[in-house]
């Protein structure tokens, strides 16, 4: 009975914004670690090719996955860098940030652009009235 009341209290007082923020933080940390690891793995593979010492063949699927992830993150970084000026951010800085954190960086950028648009709409309404 007490456990049920404690759980219902937690659910009632749970703030979705805090949950989203904590989830974004977790995804950012995991993403940075995985992308940095992918870059390191690719560097090790290139070094192996240069020195004629091949990586084990069972890692081939891992290489394809990490290359796909790096390309996707690179595309996200280019998109973020392109739109970073809309929120008065340095494009290269925001592009690098988005490259490492991935989709979360793009979602944050879109939220910031949306907030800016809402503020501009509010200001326009105030001027008109």
């Amino acid at each position: 009975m007490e456990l049920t009341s404690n759980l219902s209290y937690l659910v009632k007082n749970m703030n979705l914004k805090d949950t989203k923020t904590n989830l974004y933080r977790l995804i950012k940390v995991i993403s940075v670690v995985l992308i940095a690891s992918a870059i390191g793995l690719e560097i090790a593979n290139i070094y192996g090719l240069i020195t004629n010492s091949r990586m084990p063949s069972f890692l081939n699927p891992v290489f394809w996955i990490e290359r796909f992830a790096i390309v996707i993150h690179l595309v996200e970084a280019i998109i973020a860098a392109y739109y970073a000026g809309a929120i008065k951010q340095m494009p290269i800085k925001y592009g690098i940030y988005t490259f490492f954190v991935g989709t979360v960086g793009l979602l944050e950028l879109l939220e910031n652009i949306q907030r800016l648009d809402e503020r501009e709409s509010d200001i326009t309404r105030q001027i008109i009235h």
Side-chain angles (χ1 to χ4, degrees), residues 3-64:
L3 178 63
T4 307
S5 64
N6 285 341
L7 285 174
S8 64
Y9 173 77
L10 285 173
V11 170
K12 286 178 185 175
N13 293 315
M14 188 186 316
N15 187 346
L16 289 177
K17 186 174 182 179
D18 290 340
T19 303
K20 180 178 160 184
T21 302
N22 290 335
L23 182 63
Y24 276 13
R25 284 183 187 150
L26 178 65
I27 292 171
K28 285 179 190 179
V29 169
I30 292 170
S31 182
V32 168
V33 169
L34 290 176
I35 286 297
S37 299
I39 292 170
L41 192 60
E42 195 60 39
I43 290 171
N45 187 39
I46 292 169
Y47 177 77
L49 290 172
I50 291 171
T51 61
N52 291 325
S53 57
R54 295 223 163 224
M55 299 294 270
S57 62
F58 71 87
L59 287 177
N60 284 340
V62 174
F63 285 121
W64 285 106

Side-chain angles (χ1 to χ4, degrees), residues 69-82:
I70 287 175
V71 168
I72 294 301
H73 278 240
L74 185 60
V75 169
E76 291 173 334
I78 291 168
I79 293 168
Y82 181 79

